Amino acid sequence: MAASGKPRLVWFDANRVFAAIGVVLIHSTTDFSGQPFAGVEPSERLVPVLLRSLGEFSGSEMFFLFSLFLMAMRVDRKLPSYSSAIGMQAKRLLIPFVFWVVFYAFFRLIKADAFNYAPYMWDQITDVKNWAGYFLLGKVQYHMHFLPTLFALFLFYPFMRGATRYPLLGLSLVITLGIMNNTQAFVWGLDLDPALRDYFIRALKILGYVGYGLAAFALYGIWKDGVPRGESRLLRRGGFYFAILAYVATIPFFAYAVQNGAWGVRAGWDFYGHFLMPICVFLVFMGGQFLDWSPVWSKLAKFSFGIYLVHPAVIDLIDIALFKTGISGHMSPTVLVLCRFALALPGAFLVSLGLSKVGALAWTIGLGPTPWEARKAKGAGA
């Protein structure tokens, strides 16, 4: 049961599944080096970039919003002490994070060997300074920044709680993002050591992303107070409109990618369109809370975190297979992207499902106790 005796948030689960699909699509739409197919004609990269733009209706920022919304619900229901709340989040986030840092640090060697840059990767792994970045910033893989950043955001939850009582504070996300964007541009222009700059940029990002917490706590406050069926339709319509508007704002960014074969810099309204999109999409789903959602969404949603964590490994294995067999050389960018996505999404789901079935590993995707907790519980029950 959800807060206030309400039934399970199936609309919320559906949004989580949607977000997982979007993240896999985003990371399936580039060439093997993560770029928008720089070596082909603009017309050949049009569809991959278009699919990337559709995938960005979701993204890692949406996972921040989900997690913070659930945090708002949790602290509102139980009012835990600050230390116990943060301790629980450390256990839920940082212990799996350590596992995946070590996993990806060495798993990347497989792709590095296949694409002939293994010496470069070994140099990274054997440099102790890089491991600090792996564990503090999540730089071991492009998606791993999520876990340490989210934990840092949880530290601000007592401040975020004010938005549950005063939802208007949720609008401050626009301000926090604007300050983050402006100051990051300034820091990038300074002559700083790249490693030190990364820490400054992450600190600014965390301060800016606190706005997602205010928005999430505000949305929770609105949901908790109750949105009548009729008004929920208005909420959904507004969400659709603003999502479309946010998408329109990102068109210049993607047009640049099509024309130049490189990702540009989000600086103006394309920046706001991208970073405000999660709120717009969340409003669409929250406005649809009275729709007849299938319980299947809730069954699938429990694997969304696992899909987020494992999909880069699945995509790497697909890339290796396509490259080593030479098949990729006969594919257009569009066919390559569609093939990767068609294999990566079910592949990531199956890997997550498999991990959930193994008691000693289910905890790595948030679906079970750690081995030492399981042994402790077993010993207590003996």
Side-chain angles (χ1 to χ4, degrees), residues 231-302:
E231 292 183 12
S232 71
R233 297 190 187 98
L234 300 177
L235 197 64
R236 187 165 73 253
R237 292 167 189 165
F240 273 120
Y241 170 74
F242 285 111
I244 292 170
L245 200 63
Y247 179 78
V248 169
T250 64
I251 288 176
F253 173 82
F254 293 110
Y256 179 91
V258 171
Q259 294 166 359
N260 298 281
W263 302 119
V265 177
R266 304 181 198 268
W269 283 107
D270 50 351
F271 170 88
Y272 285 100
H274 173 75
F275 285 102
L276 293 176
M277 182 68 79
I279 306 296
C280 305
V281 174
F282 193 91
L283 287 175
V284 170
F285 281 89
M286 192 167 82
Q289 61 184 282
F290 294 105
L291 298 178
D292 186 21
W293 297 97
S294 168
V296 173
W297 290 112
S298 296
K299 294 178 182 178
L300 294 174
K302 68 178 183 177

Side-chain angles (χ1 to χ4, degrees), residues 27-44:
H27 295 142
S28 298
T29 51
T30 65
D31 58 23
F32 293 147
S33 63
Q35 296 301 310
F37 298 94
V40 303
E41 292 298 316
S43 60
E44 294 183 78

Side-chain angles (χ1 to χ4, degrees), residues 114-138:
F115 286 83
N116 300 314
Y117 61 92
Y120 168 77
M121 196 57 65
W122 273 113
D123 287 342
Q124 278 199 359
I125 292 175
T126 53
D127 188 339
V128 175
K129 182 173 62 178
N130 287 329
W131 281 91
Y134 293 168
F135 282 112
L136 295 177
L137 302 178

Side-chain angles (χ1 to χ4, degrees), residues 44-158:
E44 294 183 78
R45 50 179 173 260
L46 177 61
V47 173
V49 172
L50 174 63
L51 291 173
R52 169 69 173 245
S53 72
L54 296 177
E56 290 198 0
F57 273 96
S58 176
S60 60
E61 288 79 19
M62 184 166 282
F63 278 86
F64 286 125
L65 191 63
F66 295 154
S67 301
L68 292 162
F69 184 91
L70 290 174
M71 182 68 166
M73 181 183 297
R74 190 174 296 115
V75 299
D76 183 62
R77 293 172 62 187
K78 297 184 178 180
L79 292 177
S81 66
Y82 183 78
S83 59
S84 63
I86 297 304
M88 180 182 67
Q89 296 303 330
K91 183 175 69 175
R92 290 181 63 250
L93 295 174
L94 299 186
I95 294 177
F97 173 67
V98 171
F99 171 88
W100 289 107
V101 164
V102 176
F103 172 83
Y104 277 112
F106 293 97
F107 179 85
R108 295 179 306 166
L109 291 170
I110 301 175
K111 185 174 182 179
D113 182 65
F115 286 83
N116 300 314
Y117 61 92
Y120 168 77
M121 196 57 65
W122 273 113
D123 287 342
Q124 278 199 359
I125 292 175
T126 53
D127 188 339
V128 175
K129 182 173 62 178
N130 287 329
W131 281 91
Y134 293 168
F135 282 112
L136 295 177
L137 302 178
K139 293 185 67 175
V140 69
Q141 186 69 309
Y142 51 78
H143 70 311
M144 287 295 289
H145 69 92
F146 171 77
L147 292 173
T149 302
L150 178 60
F151 178 73
L153 292 178
F154 281 145
L155 298 177
F156 293 85
Y157 89 83

Side-chain angles (χ1 to χ4, degrees), residues 147-379:
L147 292 173
T149 302
L150 178 60
F151 178 73
L153 292 178
F154 281 145
L155 298 177
F156 293 85
Y157 89 83
F159 165 63
M160 298 171 187
R161 288 190 64 203
T164 301
R165 178 65 178 84
Y166 303 103
L168 191 64
L169 288 173
L171 297 177
S172 61
L173 173 62
V174 178
I175 299 173
T176 65
L177 288 176
I179 293 172
M180 178 187 81
N181 184 36
N182 183 69
T183 314
Q184 281 183 341
F186 169 75
V187 172
W188 276 107
L190 297 177
D191 185 21
L192 296 176
D193 176 82
L196 179 62
R197 183 178 60 208
D198 286 344
Y199 287 97
F200 279 122
I201 292 294
R202 181 60 56 84
L204 291 171
K205 190 176 293 292
I206 290 168
L207 290 174
Y209 278 11
V210 168
Y212 283 115
L214 291 167
F217 276 66
L219 288 167
Y220 168 72
I222 293 171
W223 176 82
K224 177 189 174 185
D225 289 342
V227 179
R229 184 180 295 269
E231 292 183 12
S232 71
R233 297 190 187 98
L234 300 177
L235 197 64
R236 187 165 73 253
R237 292 167 189 165
F240 273 120
Y241 170 74
F242 285 111
I244 292 170
L245 200 63
Y247 179 78
V248 169
T250 64
I251 288 176
F253 173 82
F254 293 110
Y256 179 91
V258 171
Q259 294 166 359
N260 298 281
W263 302 119
V265 177
R266 304 181 198 268
W269 283 107
D270 50 351
F271 170 88
Y272 285 100
H274 173 75
F275 285 102
L276 293 176
M277 182 68 79
I279 306 296
C280 305
V281 174
F282 193 91
L283 287 175
V284 170
F285 281 89
M286 192 167 82
Q289 61 184 282
F290 294 105
L291 298 178
D292 186 21
W293 297 97
S294 168
V296 173
W297 290 112
S298 296
K299 294 178 182 178
L300 294 174
K302 68 178 183 177
F303 298 106
S304 59
F305 185 50
I307 290 172
Y308 182 91
L309 289 170
V310 308
H311 79 273
V314 174
I315 291 176
D316 281 354
L317 293 176
I318 294 169
D319 287 351
I320 292 168
L322 293 175
F323 179 74
K324 282 294 189 179
T325 58
I327 296 175
S328 60
H330 303 285
M331 291 179 167
S332 67
T334 297
V335 173
L336 176 61
V337 165
L338 292 175
C339 178
R340 292 167 93 195
F341 180 66
L343 295 173
L345 181 60
F349 171 76
L350 290 174
V351 171
S352 299
L353 178 63
L355 289 172
S356 73
K357 301 295 184 182
V358 180
L361 293 175
W363 61 274
T364 63
I365 57 172
L367 293 179
T370 59
W372 50 91
E373 287 176 323
R375 285 196 298 268
K376 182 178 179 180
K378 186 177 179 180

